[in-house]
């Protein structure tokens, strides 16, 4: 005599479940499904959440609760969330701070633009009560770089005029033509 392929030796009266099938979950009583459980003060009670960071086993007969995606509310301990520690909150945006940084950068690259941006930032930071250090640095550096450019232009023009004056004087003495004086070639017209 051969046994059927789904025969269960533990329960000879009932044939075993076919391979791959999962038995259905036991039914939940209707009164248990509709009544929410209130948390208890007893630490071993089923509604107790336990210490933070430790998972608590689900109540018998109930599926485990899944976390809500994106929810960042109070911790599961039942206590309200603690306020953020002082000094770790993001700094509020101060009007004029971005202009002060832009003015400082432009003071090195395009000094007159850096001066203008730093002055505007200084006025805005005065009104809002923000720190004016970056705006003042941009203003000072912009002024110094502008003065250096002006001095450089004056020196360049003076040297160019001196060289041009020297060429004009030599040509007036030598007359028209191409002349070689001490290794320097002069072309005079």
């Amino acid at each position: 005599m051969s046994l059927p392929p789904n025969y269960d030796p533990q329960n000879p009266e009932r044939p075993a479940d076919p391979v791959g099938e999962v038995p259905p979950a036991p039914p939940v009583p209707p009164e248990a499904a509709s009544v929410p459980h209130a948390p208890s003060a007893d630490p071993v009670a089923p509604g107790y959440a336990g210490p933070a960071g430790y998972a608590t086993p689900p109540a018998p007969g109930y599926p485990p609760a899944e976390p809500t995606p994106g929810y960042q509310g109070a911790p599961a301990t039942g206590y309200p969330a603690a306020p953020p520690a002082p000094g770790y909150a993001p700094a509020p945006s101060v009007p004029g701070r971005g202009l002060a940084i832009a003015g400082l950068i432009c003071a090195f690259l395009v000094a007159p633009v850096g001066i203008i941006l730093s002055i505007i930032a200084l006025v805005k930071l005065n009104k809002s009560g923000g720190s004016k250090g970056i705006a003042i640095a941009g203003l000072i550096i912009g002024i110094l770089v502008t003065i250096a450019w002006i001095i450089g232009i004056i020196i360049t023009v003076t040297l160019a005029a001196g060289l041009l004056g020297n060429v004009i004087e030599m040509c007036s003495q030598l007359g028209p033509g191409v002349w070689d004086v001490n290794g320097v070639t002069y072309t005079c017209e």
Side-chain angles (χ1 to χ4, degrees), residues 24-35 37 59-63:
V28 177
E31 65 275 357
S34 64
V35 178
H37 292 282
Y62 293 101

Side-chain angles (χ1 to χ4, degrees), residues 88-123:
Y88 290 104
S93 176
V94 178
R97 184 161 172 85
L99 279 174
I101 295 170
L104 180 63
I105 293 170
C106 287
F108 289 105
L109 304 174
V110 187
V113 175
I115 292 171
I116 293 169
L117 289 177
S118 294
I119 290 172
I120 293 170
L122 195 58
V123 169

Side-chain angles (χ1 to χ4, degrees), residues 17-157:
D17 294 331
V19 177
E21 286 188 23
V22 177
V28 177
E31 65 275 357
S34 64
V35 178
H37 292 282
S40 170
D42 183 13
V44 293
Y48 178 69
Y54 292 93
T56 55
Y62 293 101
E66 295 183 20
T68 306
Y71 177 72
Q72 297 178 353
T77 60
Y79 298 106
Y88 290 104
S93 176
V94 178
R97 184 161 172 85
L99 279 174
I101 295 170
L104 180 63
I105 293 170
C106 287
F108 289 105
L109 304 174
V110 187
V113 175
I115 292 171
I116 293 169
L117 289 177
S118 294
I119 290 172
I120 293 170
L122 195 58
V123 169
K124 285 189 174 192
L125 289 169
N126 265 341
K127 288 181 183 178
S128 67
S131 175
K132 300 175 280 252
I134 296 174
I136 292 171
L139 185 63
I140 291 171
I141 292 172
I143 290 171
L144 292 176
V145 170
T146 301
I147 290 171
W149 273 100
I150 291 172
I151 291 172
I153 290 171
I154 290 172
I155 290 173
T156 304
V157 169

